[in-house]
Amino acid sequence: MAPSVVSTQPFAGQRPGTSGLRKKVKVFQQPHYLENFVQAIFDTQPELRGGTLVVGGDGRYYNREAIQVILRMAAANGVAKALVGRGGILSTPAASCIIRKHKAQGGIILSASHNPGGPEEDFGIKFNGPNGGPASESLTEAMYARTQTIDRYLTLEAPALDLDRDGSAPLGDMTVQVIDPVSDYAALMEALFDFNAIHQLFNTGQFRMRFDAMHAVTGPYAKEILEGRLGAEPGTVINGTPLPDFGGGHPDPNLAHAQELVAMTQGHDALDFGAASDGDGDRNMILGKAFFVTPSDSLAVLAANAHLVPGYQAGISGVARSMPTSQAADRVAAQLGVECFETPTGWKFFGNLLDARRITLCGEESFGTGSDHVREKDGLWAVLFWLNLLAVRRQSVADIVREHWRRFGRNYYTRHDYEAVDSAAAEGLVDHLRRLLPSLPGQVLGGQRVAYADDFAYTDPIDGSVSERQGVRIGFEGGSRIVLRLSGTGTQGATLRVYLEFYEPDPGRHDQDTQEAMRPLILIARELAQIEARTGRGEPDVIT
Ligand code: VG1
Ligand code: CO
């Protein structure tokens, strides 16, 4: 089988966003569209020649077809071995784990994460490097640049491979090995957490939980780990079979999209613990009995309690959070006497800090938490971490969080999303804010004085690379913040994200309703950014 060279022409717009290239399935189905981007990966990643490539995805519509295309192109581009998850399935954190464990030169993950799936919905592709983490900004820029000059790609004429049975088969000069998508990942979890303690917690019969896989990739992982290895009752995992259209929903674990699970944690028969993960398994939502843990608080609680978990019992070296994430973790880091970093949005910015062992834990407000065990955020990992804490501390989720607030103060936090906004209007809004920034410091808005106002820029402390224009920050004396940025993962118009935070040290004021408590700040943000006038939207589409 000799590789064939196919002529092609560049497509506009193949620039990866916050997490890979995401477009409508219909866009990816255009002849040569996927191929061009995949060839740009091979052209910018010479280490893959003669190396090992991990391939898998979240099971969404077009996953299997895309994997066959990628495997033929990998063989034609001289990859020696491809490791593919059975059925084309690999969660994002499992792919990261497998790249590291098998010392692969990289991995291609097919996912648009929490975006809906199906013929009319979204598809995505991202490249992770040999450390198991998302390609850096300079690498994704190099890929993008390559897509703009590409004139050929390499592939093989070959029939589709059977991806549903474990084992090896040749494809040209490459070996394709179909592997169990779960076992390496499950073994890693078992090495980090006290499975006996969690098993005992389930055995008490006093503890009831559900894990909502949202018809997405974590179903098989959660079933094997929670029901199989930890002895949770059968049926603990709900919506546990990955479906190409995720059952028609948004596989996004938040209060808006995981309502079925949220309802189970409320009322007279409420669960003790509820958790959910997203399309590709890297996000998590943590719920207690009638209690929602904000992702920002979750990171802070995990950092404060890490020493109680076997994998982190020696302590943590540092913490990092994305800029819009609340400053709750900063307070823990200060008390532990470890470093704390503020990075731009997106997991790729944590990679260098993790590789350099400057941080052990990191997280984002967007339901992402993780550690140095892989180089991606990891939904099931966060759930197991919480279960381990519940088993050791023998307290409810709410009690653990309330105690945390008493100790560190509470960072009230909310995010308001305005989705599918006209792109020009959204750009105009951000430009308007940027122009406003120099005049804000010192001004008193709604009774609070502005301490600083800037467009966030980040200098990576390890390689010195600079990332600018990462979101508008307005900080007040006393710790409140308003942050605004445009999403880099959407596929339709623009999504405006408004992040709001205020700090309350007084334990007597820790039980306020979040939206009520944040009202003054919400109004300041709307007015400053002229949201309604510029976008025509009076209220956000999604509040988390
Ligand atoms: C969003 C989140 C960001 C996250 C990214 C990928 O990006 O805000 O924190 O890293 O999604 O997550 P944006 O640019 O839309 O705000 V995942 O689970 O969709 O891969
Ligand atoms: Co995701």
Side-chain angles (χ1 to χ4, degrees):
M1 253 182 272
S4 47
V5 180
V6 181
S7 325
T8 187
Q9 282 180 348
F11 287 90
Q14 290 197 321
R15 170 177 267 142
T18 312
S19 177
L21 182 69
R22 292 187 194 179
K23 300 285 175 193
K24 292 284 173 209
V25 166
K26 290 257 150 51
V27 173
F28 271 103
Q29 284 173 326
Q30 300 171 83
H32 309 324
Y33 190 92
L34 172 67
E35 289 85 346
N36 280 13
F37 190 76
V38 172
Q39 187 63 49
I41 295 176
F42 289 119
D43 288 348
T44 51
Q45 294 299 299
E47 300 77 19
L48 291 171
R49 182 165 290 278
T52 299
L53 177 72
V54 173
V55 186
D58 63 12
R60 70 178 57 225
Y61 187 84
Y62 203 53
N63 191 47
R64 283 173 178 267
E65 292 85 342
I67 290 178
Q68 298 287 351
V69 167
I70 291 165
L71 290 176
R72 286 196 290 268
M73 290 183 64
N77 278 282
V79 172
K81 185 175 183 182
L83 295 172
V84 188
R86 189 192 318 118
I89 291 288
L90 281 181
S91 77
T92 287
S96 185
C97 161
I98 291 165
I99 292 169
R100 294 168 69 79
K101 183 162 178 174
H102 297 267
K103 302 199 164 32
Q105 278 60 47
I108 294 180
I109 305 172
L110 291 321
S111 173
S113 188
H114 55 288
N115 297 11
E120 303 300 327
E121 299 296 351
D122 293 354
F123 192 73
I125 174 167
K126 54 184 174 176
F127 178 75
N128 283 29
N131 73 346
S136 66
E137 224 179 27
S138 59
L139 238 174
T140 56
E141 278 303 302
M143 288 171 193
Y144 170 63
R146 180 67 193 127
T147 66
Q148 295 310 290
T149 57
I150 198 159
D151 59 2
R152 62 94 186 92
Y153 64 83
L154 308 182
T155 188
L156 287 185
E157 300 290 327
L161 286 171
D162 178 4
L163 300 179
D164 292 303
R165 239 171 319 147
D166 293 6
S168 295
L171 178 62
D173 293 334
M174 181 174 86
T175 303
V176 176
Q177 192 182 345
V178 175
I179 58 171
D180 176 31
V182 178
S183 58
D184 285 332
Y185 177 81
L188 178 58
M189 294 302 113
E190 213 159 341
L192 292 173
F193 300 109
D194 188 344
F195 271 36
N196 283 331
I198 302 173
H199 206 296
Q200 278 167 25
L201 177 68
F202 286 128
N203 274 348
T204 59
Q206 308 288 307
F207 177 81
R208 285 173 55 238
M209 80 163 279
R210 291 287 177 271
F211 176 90
D212 188 351
M214 303 190 85
H215 300 295
V217 80
T218 40
Y221 294 88
K223 276 189 203 159
E224 165 63 20
I225 295 172
L226 296 174
E227 297 179 13
R229 302 193 184 197
L230 290 167
E233 61 172 326
T236 294
V237 178
I238 59 173
N239 302 320
T241 304
L243 298 176
D245 68 348
F246 306 124
H250 283 245
D252 197 354
N254 61 35
L255 296 177
H257 294 302
Q259 282 168 3
E260 181 189 2
L261 179 74
V262 175
M264 289 182 191
T265 61
Q266 291 166 346
H268 71 281
D269 194 27
L271 299 170
D272 300 291
F273 185 63
S277 191
D278 71 331
D280 61 332
D282 55 1
R283 297 185 176 203
N284 72 90
M285 177 168 68
I286 302 294
L287 300 165
K289 195 172 277 195
F291 194 89
F292 164 64
V293 185
T294 72
S296 297
D297 276 349
S298 183
L299 173 64
V301 170
L302 300 191
N305 291 278
H307 59 283
L308 300 175
V309 168
Y312 309 94
Q313 62 187 0
I316 57 175
S317 63
V319 193
R321 60 165 174 84
S322 68
M323 182 272 280
T325 303
S326 99
Q327 300 160 102
D330 305 32
R331 297 182 181 274
V332 177
Q335 204 169 105
L336 292 175
V338 299
E339 281 191 293
C340 182
F341 299 88
E342 182 175 47
T343 58
T345 295
W347 213 259
K348 55 178 168 251
F349 295 102
F350 294 133
N352 280 347
L353 295 169
L354 290 164
D355 285 349
R357 298 179 170 275
R358 294 280 286 274
I359 59 169
T360 308
L361 299 181
C362 44
E364 296 189 281
E365 50 65 43
S366 54
F367 299 81
T369 339
S371 87
D372 57 1
H373 70 290
V374 289
R375 291 295 179 272
E376 286 278 5
K377 55 186 182 275
D378 189 343
L380 211 42
W381 169 90
V383 174
L384 292 167
F385 203 132
W386 269 96
L387 283 170
N388 200 148
L389 291 187
L390 296 175
V392 174
R393 289 190 48 168
R394 299 175 182 275
Q395 283 171 289
S396 69
V397 172
D399 286 349
I400 290 178
V401 177
R402 288 215 170 87
E403 204 177 296
H404 185 92
W405 291 339
R406 279 197 293 277
R407 193 168 150 207
F408 296 97
R410 176 171 182 187
N411 290 70
Y412 279 94
Y413 189 83
T414 189
R415 183 176 106 185
H416 289 195
D417 290 336
Y418 299 79
E419 294 179 340
V421 168
D422 176 72
S423 296
E427 298 285 348
L429 183 151
V430 174
D431 285 344
H432 152 74
L433 276 174
R434 286 190 178 123
R435 280 194 301 273
L436 218 57
L437 287 173
S439 68
L440 291 178
Q443 274 195 41
V444 177
L445 304 172
Q448 299 189 70
R449 188 179 300 277
V450 177
Y452 61 89
D454 62 9
D455 193 351
F456 182 58
Y458 177 68
T459 303
D460 186 297
I462 311 301
D463 67 15
S465 59
V466 178
S467 303
E468 287 175 322
R469 296 162 84 89
Q470 297 294 322
V472 167
R473 291 192 302 185
I474 301 165
F476 296 86
E477 287 169 3
S480 294
R481 288 197 314 169
I482 296 172
V483 172
L484 290 102
R485 58 178 282 281
L486 300 182
S487 157
T489 58
T491 58
Q492 225 177 350
T495 293
L496 170 67
R497 304 202 195 283
V498 184
Y499 311 82
L500 303 144
E501 167 181 14
F502 101 85
Y503 179 65
E504 177 57 74
D506 178 3
R509 300 176 60 82
H510 283 170
D511 276 315
Q512 304 172 66
D513 173 81
T514 299
Q515 297 304 315
E516 301 258 307
M518 312 225 52
R519 198 79 207 152
L521 216 52
I522 293 171
L523 295 178
I524 295 172
R526 287 186 185 177
E527 199 168 308
L528 270 184
Q530 305 176 342
I531 294 179
E532 185 158 9
R534 289 176 176 273
T535 68
R537 305 290 177 81
E539 293 295 323
D541 299 279
V542 180
I543 296 180
T544 47

